[in-house]
Amino acid sequence: MLRKLTPLKINHVRLQDSFWSPRVQLLHQAILPYQWQALNDEIDGVEKSGCIDNFKIAAGELEGSYHGFVFQDSDLYKWLEAVGYSLQTEPDPEWEKRADEVIDLIGRAQQPDGYINTYYTVKEPGKRWTNLIHNHELYCAGHFIEGAVAYYKATGKRKVLDIACRFADYIASVFGDGEGQLKGYDGHEEIELALVKLYHATGDQQYLDLSRFFIDERGQDPSFFLEECERRGEKRRKEDLEYHQAHLPVRSQMDAVGHAVRAMYLYAGMADVAAETEDHTLWEACQTLWKSVTEKRMYITGGVGSSSHGESFTIDYDLPNDYAYTETCAAIGLVFWAHRMLQIEPNSIYADVMERALYNGVLSGMAEDGKSYFYVNPLEVWPEACHHRHDKNHVKTVRQGWFGCACCPPNIARLLASLNQYLYSYYDQEIYVHLYISSEAEAELSGGRVRITQVSSLPWDEDVKLTVSVPEPAKFTLALRIPAWCQGAQLTINGETVTWESVNGYAKINRRWSDGDQLEWRLPLTVERLYANPNVRVNAGKVALQRGPLVYCLEEVDNGPTLTDLCLPVNEELTVQVEADLLGGVAVISGNGVRSNPSGWEHALYRPAPLDSVSASIKAIPYYAWCNREPGEMLVWIREC
Amino acid sequence: MLRKLTPLKINHVRLQDSFWSPRVQLLHQAILPYQWQALNDEIDGVEKSGCIDNFKIAAGELEGSYHGFVFQDSDLYKWLEAVGYSLQTEPDPEWEKRADEVIDLIGRAQQPDGYINTYYTVKEPGKRWTNLIHNHELYCAGHFIEGAVAYYKATGKRKVLDIACRFADYIASVFGDGEGQLKGYDGHEEIELALVKLYHATGDQQYLDLSRFFIDERGQDPSFFLEECERRGEKRRKEDLEYHQAHLPVRSQMDAVGHAVRAMYLYAGMADVAAETEDHTLWEACQTLWKSVTEKRMYITGGVGSSSHGESFTIDYDLPNDYAYTETCAAIGLVFWAHRMLQIEPNSIYADVMERALYNGVLSGMAEDGKSYFYVNPLEVWPEACHHRHDKNHVKTVRQGWFGCACCPPNIARLLASLNQYLYSYYDQEIYVHLYISSEAEAELSGGRVRITQVSSLPWDEDVKLTVSVPEPAKFTLALRIPAWCQGAQLTINGETVTWESVNGYAKINRRWSDGDQLEWRLPLTVERLYANPNVRVNAGKVALQRGPLVYCLEEVDNGPTLTDLCLPVNEELTVQVEADLLGGVAVISGNGVRSNPSGWEHALYRPAPLDSVSASIKAIPYYAWCNREPGEMLVWIREC
């Protein structure tokens, strides 16, 4: 079997974490209700969504014209998916009722042949499948399928799954290499991974085959997209297809290119199909692209996509901090992909990246109160320059109301709602702990049922306690991830120090466990000074601070303006203190640095005198928490001297 | 008198400089002949100019349609201006004949009322003066006037001046605050300074009055441009007028904003009008804007305009090295402006900036052979990123054939052809030496005629010899600029050490001079380490090397790739050697630096190990000379450690 591990299901893991649980709660308190109102155009002063109305018009129940982007339907589908995950862990009759009504509406908007897409049904009837490169038709289908599967798993109600299958069956009739079929694929990948979920939910092989078809066809010569564009009279060149990862067959792609979110969704789908079909060449392609991203094209925050133009990857080591795009959705996509890679190859390199993206590049996208969002997550912000430089106008210097564009906020919602599934995996007689987040997990190993209770003090403190519950003593392996950020992890079981075998970054403890066995897993949290590969030109001479999974940053509110002027001596000892009243309670890193003496510079732009330094205290906070106080400058990579 | 000094005329100064004269010779050998052919569409494989044909069509001598930009006429005018300067120093019957024919043609294209503009005459007859904000009508007029004055001064032939006066008289009838006149001004400043030249050439006060009118009206409320746009149904906001320096009356403008070339031409015109009309409020506005530019918005190369969007200024201290625009024409405009400021206030701060722009930001625009040009002159180039990042696509990584766009090359041509006038000024019984360039100069002081012979070894060596020739002993003051880059200048006269009074950065030697008096003016050339104001965020921790007037840079061909990785120890001694075979003979700065040990970084993007350094030799060449060998990376601001 290519895939080694199976993630524990969402409803087999219960989060009880002081760091994450309140954020998941924001889902119920803020995100889902607000989004529901937005989809229904019930919020005054907010840009019209038109989403629900589009479905009503498509169902023939409302007069009107289509409103919004071509992918407007997907907003509803992501909401449905988040509700589905939420109901898997916490039943809620009211939300279930709303979802049922929405599903009924979707069913009524479904066309006799199974097709669902309100844009084409209402606005361009007869034009289906004529603009796959741009119009997100299969992308929307994919999000519907993901939503349908999540809701079906939560409630066991087949209606939504049946609607999805009818739609997928119809898609399978349209696409393929048979006579009269389209040998095409979507401009925005998403359906590939969704079809694998539908295959799992139904056991119907044709969905897996269709996903594989889309992946195998992508980038083949002659190009489906170029021919499609030619049919519509649109001029495109082969190079333009990099944006869609359609410039080469996926197995020939050596570098991560193009739109970063699309790339992440494609790579996640490739990993799924590789695992399901035991396709080693596809798995090798995944590994090649993984190296491209994580060894050459990823920010230290787990953000990906260094150019606003095309929200895209550029070239190796081109990772400007202030011009970064690093869309929240792309970091989320990296979590999806890393999680899939980890199940195929149980190696902490995947879990490390998954954790890095989750705690930094994803979490920075949301304000502490869940009410405003960053789409773009740069690592250095000088607000005045962003306001005045046209080439930085993609960088918002404060988070925006989440309703402005409907892409990242519901993506964070569905990730938070399904966070449970990223913590543990199992295989035969092994149970893996990937993330140290307080929780209760139940696994059905080949030797019987095991419950693990995890009490983690991360990310602020270094103790993780695990309690094993078994109906009767059982032999199995507990595999605890040794994070890359940790040196000198220590383990005791029932108070006794234990050694372990380290396999691919996991501490494997194979023994006969008794009910109530207690593990104390100490993961020393030190302030790490991280350096970038010298080819990352912008980070030369600079250091990033990390503690545990958290990358830190400087904010103007703590350090004054002109953060680039601050310099951290190479031997300066840094201290850590948890400030309970700060940003919901965070560990702060402090130290003494230097900055330029401003005197003499009042009227000088350049001068020969060597810079005169004065001491300056430096205070760093977790990157994810920036911009929750006064707006101002922010900086991750600090000069070292 | 507000203006203190008068520049020595072009034909009163004769260049004999081993650094500059070969570059001026390129004018005759390459630039003027090539441009003449280009204007006549006689070069195969080059984009059509259509310029001469446009004039023939306007004169009714050719059938056809208008070709090119709205400002296409100005290409011919700048050529005429360069020819005019050239003929002032070096008569050439062939070029004079060509110019006479061109002048005849321009005369035949002139309309009965005096108007000249082939775009409006051929393409939009009846639409004159309806789109001043965009269509460069007065800008073209200004360049014609500059060309006409230059040619008239060279030959004494009045014909071109008469054509120009008829045109200017017509413009004066159209614009003004009288009944039925337009209270307008041009979107691209140029005519302001040109009209002052016409005033000087003719003594006719109305041209000065018109220039002053344009300057005084600019940015008044209600806005002429906003009203003009409204008449044409074009939407513009008040903020958009910053691009044209028309957002506020010029005396209320505190910051240099908008399109940098336009700004420089306006400020030069403001200085002219301030001096001619003894307008102290306008002079104060010039000083305010001078401080804005030189204390907060100028690159160390004398380049200005830090954003490609609008080729414009942005905000204080926003001077990114790799995203710079720094158009060659803008640095040329800064030379124009600085030269005018210097005549009003004899202070070396103006000459220092003039020299900085001339030797660096201007000269970098032209290849050693005069055949290719940079429009954009960044201070840091990573070619691969420029080729792949959309937000850097304004940065060309090699100089382009000068015919591609016709704006910067002829601008360099006219500056080189008139370089003579920037070296010396005089006033009553004082003669000023601003630039140390080998030459012979003749000045008519109130006490009689003086000839100065300057033999300068700059920029490579530090000796300047000046010989005074007077028909009989005469008392006057010789004022020698003490460059800001020089510490410990030494002077001997006839072998004896002399002290001097330093006034505003000039060494003033007031004495009775005898024929043959010899001055040896030694200007110690050291390698200066220059630092940027800490508010220039991108230059924190970095140093720029300068020697004499020349800013230095690192090139990949000498230092290997990833120049940002190189670090120059703060106490490292730097040595200088003239390499006769390199780039036409340049002084090279060498030293020992460090760079990262690449081992261990093959697959790592971030790692906790502190960077391991290896020694690396550093070789810097003058910035202006970069990209005359193999293309590659370039870097001005070097990390210091």
Side-chain angles (χ1 to χ4, degrees):
Chain A
M1 287 281 284
L2 193 51
R3 180 187 285 133
K4 302 294 179 303
L5 305 182
T6 304
L8 281 190
K9 287 183 187 156
I10 290 177
N11 58 350
H12 289 172
V13 179
R14 189 182 161 85
L15 284 198
Q16 295 167 320
D17 191 68
S18 61
F19 185 82
W20 285 104
S21 293
R23 291 180 162 82
V24 176
Q25 282 310 312
L26 285 173
L27 263 183
H28 301 278
Q29 292 157 8
I31 304 177
L32 291 178
Y34 199 102
Q35 190 174 10
W36 176 249
Q37 288 185 283
L39 293 168
N40 283 279
D41 298 316
E42 292 171 357
I43 304 171
D44 286 338
V46 164
E47 213 181 315
K48 184 183 169 183
S49 160
C51 185
I52 295 285
D53 279 356
N54 288 340
F55 277 93
K56 288 181 181 165
I57 298 165
E61 298 164 8
L62 186 72
E63 292 281 319
S65 55
Y66 182 84
H67 183 86
F69 293 106
V70 290
F71 47 81
Q72 205 79 351
D73 291 359
S74 66
D75 294 348
L76 179 61
Y77 300 149
K78 284 192 216 163
W79 175 87
L80 178 64
E81 185 182 348
V83 169
Y85 294 137
S86 182
L87 294 176
Q88 286 180 39
T89 52
E90 197 174 325
D92 184 320
E94 197 187 331
W95 285 108
E96 189 170 331
K97 183 164 169 288
R98 269 186 205 156
D100 283 338
E101 286 167 9
V102 156
I103 290 161
D104 289 344
L105 175 61
I106 295 169
R108 295 195 303 274
Q110 187 167 36
Q111 302 300 295
D113 56 7
Y115 182 79
I116 315 175
N117 185 293
T118 70
Y119 175 84
Y120 276 102
T121 301
V122 172
K123 194 162 177 184
E124 294 207 70
K127 291 276 184 84
R128 289 182 196 173
W129 318 124
T130 58
N131 193 350
L132 283 159
I133 188 172
H134 301 309
N135 279 358
H136 294 70
E137 226 166 340
L138 292 170
Y139 167 87
C140 287
H143 276 304
F144 173 54
I145 292 168
E146 284 204 274
V149 170
Y151 189 75
Y152 165 70
K153 284 194 180 173
T155 61
K157 296 178 184 172
R158 277 207 63 95
K159 178 164 189 181
V160 71
L161 200 64
D162 291 341
I163 297 171
C165 289
R166 278 229 296 144
F167 189 10
D169 294 347
Y170 165 67
I171 294 170
S173 76
V174 172
F175 290 88
D177 46 19
E179 180 78 21
Q181 287 186 302
L182 279 174
K183 283 184 77 172
Y185 37 89
D186 205 73
H188 195 316
E189 302 90 330
E190 154 65 25
I191 192 154
E192 297 81 358
L193 65 88
L195 284 168
V196 177
K197 287 188 173 180
L198 191 59
Y199 161 65
H200 277 290
T202 62
D204 187 340
Q205 172 80 23
Q206 75 158 332
Y207 303 133
L208 177 61
D209 293 344
L210 183 58
S211 175
R212 189 194 173 110
F213 170 81
F214 287 138
I215 285 170
D216 286 350
E217 280 304 315
R218 192 165 209 91
Q220 295 293 349
D221 199 32
S223 162
F224 174 80
F225 282 156
L226 292 184
E227 292 184 348
E228 184 197 72
C229 287
E230 208 178 314
R231 283 195 289 277
R232 282 202 323 280
E234 180 188 339
K235 282 205 167 33
R236 288 272 151 180
R237 300 160 309 155
K238 184 130 184 128
E239 307 88 88
D240 300 330
L241 303 183
E242 286 200 358
Y243 174 79
H244 308 276
Q245 298 79 42
H247 56 302
L248 284 172
V250 299
R251 288 173 188 76
S252 304
Q253 296 187 21
M254 308 303 288
D255 300 308
V257 296
H259 187 266
V261 177
R262 287 168 211 241
M264 293 301 110
Y265 287 10
L266 168 64
Y267 305 159
M270 285 165 63
D272 278 342
V273 170
E276 295 301 334
T277 64
E278 300 288 325
D279 184 332
H280 288 266
T281 61
L282 195 55
W283 168 237
E284 280 160 25
C286 290
Q287 290 173 299
T288 299
L289 290 164
W290 179 265
K291 284 186 182 165
S292 170
V293 170
T294 62
E295 294 181 3
K296 291 172 180 169
R297 302 188 175 198
M298 180 186 76
Y299 287 88
I300 197 168
T301 54
V304 286
S306 64
S307 169
S308 68
H309 182 72
E311 307 177 323
S312 68
F313 287 100
T314 58
I315 54 171
D316 287 349
Y317 305 115
D318 177 44
L319 297 165
N321 296 308
D322 48 350
Y323 282 86
Y325 198 74
T326 44
E327 187 181 341
T328 306
C329 285
I332 291 171
L334 180 55
V335 171
F336 294 163
W337 182 30
H339 187 229
R340 283 159 169 87
M341 298 295 280
L342 179 61
Q343 312 310 315
I344 298 174
E345 182 189 340
N347 190 315
S348 66
I349 60 170
Y350 303 112
D352 285 334
V353 167
M354 182 172 82
E355 184 186 64
R356 182 178 291 287
L358 184 65
Y359 279 85
N360 301 287
V362 172
L363 202 49
S364 64
M366 185 171 82
E368 286 288 308
D369 63 4
K371 290 183 178 162
S372 62
Y373 293 82
F374 278 133
Y375 296 87
V376 169
N377 298 274
L379 283 75
E380 180 175 338
V381 173
W382 175 19
E384 216 183 341
C386 299
H387 301 152
H388 289 88
R389 284 193 72 88
H390 193 262
D391 53 13
K392 283 186 173 174
N393 71 3
H394 61 290
V395 178
K396 302 298 171 225
T397 58
V398 293
R399 289 183 184 82
Q400 311 286 301
W402 71 273
F403 35 82
C405 158
C407 127
C408 299
N411 226 348
I412 294 189
R414 66 185 186 131
L415 177 63
L416 284 177
S418 60
L419 185 62
N420 317 35
Q421 70 184 319
Y422 295 92
L423 276 53
Y424 304 93
S425 299
Y426 69 99
Y427 166 64
D428 191 18
Q429 300 204 51
E430 294 190 331
I431 182 161
Y432 280 75
V433 185
H434 305 304
L435 297 177
Y436 297 106
I437 295 175
S438 300
S439 51
E440 263 185 37
E442 285 198 356
E444 195 74 52
L445 300 184
S446 57
R449 173 164 296 195
V450 174
R451 192 164 77 228
I452 305 286
T453 306
Q454 178 183 176
V455 179
S456 166
S457 61
L458 282 167
W460 311 127
D461 218 338
E462 57 196 27
D463 295 310
V464 178
K465 292 192 175 110
L466 298 146
T467 307
V468 173
S469 306
V470 281
E472 53 195 59
K475 195 164 171 2
F476 63 91
T477 299
L478 201 53
L480 304 176
R481 173 173 152 253
I482 308 163
W485 46 259
C486 175
Q487 306 299 319
Q490 291 177 324
L491 180 66
T492 65
I493 299 180
N494 300 327
E496 283 179 32
T497 301
V498 171
T499 58
W500 63 80
E501 186 191 7
S502 173
V503 181
N504 291 331
Y506 283 80
K508 290 204 170 180
I509 308 111
N510 181 9
R511 57 180 264 163
R512 176 170 297 275
W513 299 90
S514 300
D515 194 45
D517 276 349
Q518 296 249 353
L519 295 88
E520 301 215 354
W521 179 228
R522 192 157 167 268
L523 297 169
L525 276 179
T526 54
V527 176
E528 282 192 293
R529 289 187 183 227
L530 290 180
Y531 301 86
N533 188 301
N535 286 305
V536 183
R537 286 154 175 78
V538 294
N539 291 342
K542 297 177 187 169
V543 64
L545 304 181
Q546 184 173 320
R547 181 170 180 269
L550 298 176
V551 172
Y552 275 66
C553 73
L554 307 183
E555 268 201 295
E556 182 174 345
V557 64
D558 297 314
N559 299 281
T562 326
L563 297 173
T564 50
D565 188 39
L566 283 167
C567 200
L568 186 61
V570 70
N571 294 318
E572 171 68 21
E573 194 154 338
L574 295 162
T575 59
V576 176
Q577 192 168 5
V578 175
E579 294 193 15
D581 296 335
L582 184 67
L583 297 161
V586 297
V588 162
I589 300 175
S590 304
N592 291 313
V594 293
R595 67 183 313 156
S596 306
N597 184 342
S599 93
W601 280 112
E602 295 79 4
H603 298 287
L605 189 48
Y606 307 106
R607 54 171 212 193
L611 287 179
D612 185 16
S613 294
V614 294
S615 70
S617 62
I618 287 179
K619 176 174 174 176
I621 61 158
Y623 170 74
Y624 77 79
W626 91 275
C627 203
N628 277 291
R629 293 172 291 167
E630 280 172 46
E633 291 184 39
M634 184 276 292
L635 183 78
V636 169
W637 288 95
I638 307 164
R639 286 198 302 126
E640 199 176 56
C641 48
Chain B
M1 286 282 282
L2 194 50
R3 180 188 283 133
K4 302 293 181 301
L5 304 182
T6 305
L8 281 190
K9 289 183 185 157
I10 290 177
N11 58 351
H12 290 173
V13 179
R14 191 181 160 85
L15 284 197
Q16 296 168 320
D17 191 68
S18 62
F19 184 83
W20 285 104
S21 293
R23 291 180 162 81
V24 176
Q25 282 308 313
L26 286 173
L27 261 184
H28 301 278
Q29 294 157 7
I31 303 177
L32 291 178
Y34 199 101
Q35 189 175 12
W36 176 248
Q37 290 185 284
L39 293 167
N40 283 279
D41 297 316
E42 292 172 358
I43 305 171
D44 285 339
V46 164
E47 212 180 315
K48 184 183 169 185
S49 160
C51 186
I52 295 286
D53 280 356
N54 287 341
F55 278 92
K56 288 181 181 165
I57 298 164
E61 298 164 7
L62 187 71
E63 291 282 318
S65 54
Y66 182 85
H67 183 86
F69 293 106
V70 289
F71 47 82
Q72 205 80 349
D73 290 359
S74 67
D75 294 349
L76 180 61
Y77 300 149
K78 285 192 215 164
W79 175 87
L80 179 63
E81 185 183 347
V83 169
Y85 294 138
S86 182
L87 295 176
Q88 286 179 40
T89 53
E90 198 173 325
D92 185 319
E94 197 186 330
W95 286 107
E96 189 170 331
K97 184 164 168 287
R98 269 186 206 157
D100 284 338
E101 287 167 8
V102 157
I103 289 161
D104 289 344
L105 176 60
I106 294 170
R108 296 196 301 277
Q110 187 167 36
Q111 301 301 295
D113 56 6
Y115 181 79
I116 314 174
N117 185 292
T118 71
Y119 175 83
Y120 276 102
T121 300
V122 173
K123 194 160 177 185
E124 294 207 70
K127 290 277 183 86
R128 290 181 195 172
W129 318 123
T130 58
N131 193 348
L132 284 159
I133 188 171
H134 300 310
N135 279 359
H136 294 68
E137 227 166 339
L138 293 169
Y139 167 87
C140 287
H143 275 304
F144 173 53
I145 291 168
E146 284 205 274
V149 170
Y151 189 75
Y152 165 69
K153 284 193 180 175
T155 61
K157 295 178 184 170
R158 279 207 60 96
K159 179 166 187 179
V160 71
L161 199 65
D162 291 341
I163 297 172
C165 288
R166 278 229 296 146
F167 189 9
D169 294 347
Y170 165 67
I171 293 170
S173 76
V174 172
F175 290 88
D177 46 20
E179 181 77 22
Q181 287 185 302
L182 279 174
K183 283 184 77 172
Y185 37 89
D186 205 72
H188 195 316
E189 301 92 329
E190 156 65 24
I191 193 157
E192 296 81 357
L193 65 88
L195 284 168
V196 177
K197 288 188 174 181
L198 191 60
Y199 160 65
H200 276 293
T202 61
D204 188 341
Q205 172 79 23
Q206 73 159 333
Y207 304 133
L208 178 60
D209 293 345
L210 183 57
S211 175
R212 188 192 173 113
F213 170 81
F214 287 138
I215 286 170
D216 286 350
E217 280 303 314
R218 192 164 209 92
Q220 296 293 349
D221 198 32
S223 161
F224 173 80
F225 282 156
L226 293 184
E227 292 184 348
E228 184 197 72
C229 287
E230 208 178 314
R231 283 195 289 276
R232 284 200 324 280
E234 181 189 340
K235 280 203 171 32
R236 288 273 152 179
R237 300 159 310 155
K238 183 130 184 127
E239 308 86 88
D240 300 331
L241 303 182
E242 285 199 358
Y243 174 78
H244 309 276
Q245 298 80 40
H247 55 303
L248 284 173
V250 297
R251 290 174 186 78
S252 304
Q253 297 187 20
M254 308 302 290
D255 300 309
V257 296
H259 187 267
V261 177
R262 287 168 210 241
M264 293 300 111
Y265 287 11
L266 168 64
Y267 305 159
M270 285 166 62
D272 279 343
V273 170
E276 295 301 334
T277 64
E278 301 289 324
D279 185 331
H280 288 266
T281 60
L282 194 55
W283 168 238
E284 280 160 26
C286 290
Q287 291 173 297
T288 298
L289 291 164
W290 179 265
K291 284 185 183 167
S292 170
V293 170
T294 62
E295 295 181 4
K296 291 173 180 168
R297 301 186 177 201
M298 181 185 76
Y299 286 89
I300 198 168
T301 56
V304 286
S306 64
S307 169
S308 67
H309 181 72
E311 307 177 323
S312 68
F313 288 100
T314 58
I315 54 169
D316 288 348
Y317 306 115
D318 177 43
L319 297 165
N321 296 308
D322 49 348
Y323 282 87
Y325 198 76
T326 44
E327 187 180 340
T328 306
C329 284
I332 291 171
L334 181 55
V335 172
F336 295 163
W337 181 32
H339 187 229
R340 284 161 169 84
M341 298 295 280
L342 180 60
Q343 312 311 315
I344 298 174
E345 182 188 342
N347 190 316
S348 66
I349 59 171
Y350 302 112
D352 284 334
V353 167
M354 182 172 82
E355 185 186 64
R356 181 178 292 286
L358 184 65
Y359 279 85
N360 302 287
V362 172
L363 202 50
S364 63
M366 186 171 82
E368 286 288 307
D369 63 4
K371 290 183 179 162
S372 61
Y373 293 82
F374 278 134
Y375 296 88
V376 169
N377 297 273
L379 284 74
E380 180 175 338
V381 173
W382 176 20
E384 217 183 341
C386 298
H387 301 153
H388 289 87
R389 284 193 72 87
H390 193 262
D391 53 12
K392 283 186 173 174
N393 72 3
H394 62 289
V395 178
K396 303 297 171 227
T397 60
V398 294
R399 288 182 185 82
Q400 309 288 300
W402 71 272
F403 35 81
C405 158
C407 128
C408 300
N411 226 349
I412 294 189
R414 67 185 184 129
L415 177 63
L416 285 176
S418 61
L419 185 61
N420 317 34
Q421 69 184 321
Y422 295 92
L423 276 53
Y424 304 93
S425 299
Y426 69 101
Y427 166 65
D428 192 18
Q429 300 204 50
E430 294 190 331
I431 181 161
Y432 280 75
V433 185
H434 305 304
L435 297 177
Y436 297 105
I437 296 176
S438 300
S439 52
E440 262 186 35
E442 284 198 356
E444 195 73 54
L445 300 185
S446 57
R449 173 166 295 194
V450 174
R451 192 164 76 228
I452 305 286
T453 306
Q454 179 184 173
V455 179
S456 166
S457 61
L458 282 167
W460 312 127
D461 218 337
E462 56 195 27
D463 295 309
V464 178
K465 293 193 174 109
L466 299 146
T467 308
V468 174
S469 306
V470 281
E472 54 195 61
K475 194 163 174 0
F476 64 90
T477 299
L478 200 54
L480 305 176
R481 173 173 152 254
I482 308 161
W485 46 260
C486 175
Q487 305 299 318
Q490 290 176 324
L491 181 66
T492 66
I493 299 181
N494 301 327
E496 284 178 32
T497 301
V498 171
T499 57
W500 64 79
E501 186 193 7
S502 172
V503 182
N504 291 331
Y506 282 80
K508 289 203 170 181
I509 308 110
N510 181 9
R511 57 179 264 163
R512 177 169 295 274
W513 298 91
S514 299
D515 194 46
D517 277 350
Q518 295 248 353
L519 294 88
E520 299 216 355
W521 179 227
R522 191 155 169 271
L523 297 168
L525 275 179
T526 54
V527 177
E528 282 192 292
R529 291 186 182 227
L530 290 180
Y531 300 86
N533 187 301
N535 286 306
V536 183
R537 285 154 175 78
V538 292
N539 291 342
K542 297 177 187 168
V543 64
L545 302 180
Q546 185 173 319
R547 182 171 179 269
L550 298 176
V551 172
Y552 275 67
C553 72
L554 307 182
E555 269 201 295
E556 182 173 344
V557 63
D558 298 313
N559 299 281
T562 326
L563 297 173
T564 49
D565 188 38
L566 283 166
C567 200
L568 186 61
V570 71
N571 294 318
E572 172 67 21
E573 194 155 339
L574 296 163
T575 59
V576 176
Q577 193 167 6
V578 174
E579 294 193 16
D581 296 334
L582 184 67
L583 296 161
V586 296
V588 162
I589 300 174
S590 303
N592 291 313
V594 293
R595 66 183 314 154
S596 306
N597 185 343
S599 93
W601 280 111
E602 295 79 4
H603 298 288
L605 189 47
Y606 307 105
R607 55 172 210 194
L611 287 178
D612 186 16
S613 295
V614 295
S615 71
S617 61
I618 288 179
K619 176 174 175 177
I621 62 157
Y623 170 74
Y624 77 80
W626 90 275
C627 202
N628 278 290
R629 294 172 291 167
E630 279 172 49
E633 291 185 39
M634 184 276 292
L635 182 77
V636 170
W637 288 94
I638 307 163
R639 286 198 303 125
E640 200 176 55
C641 47

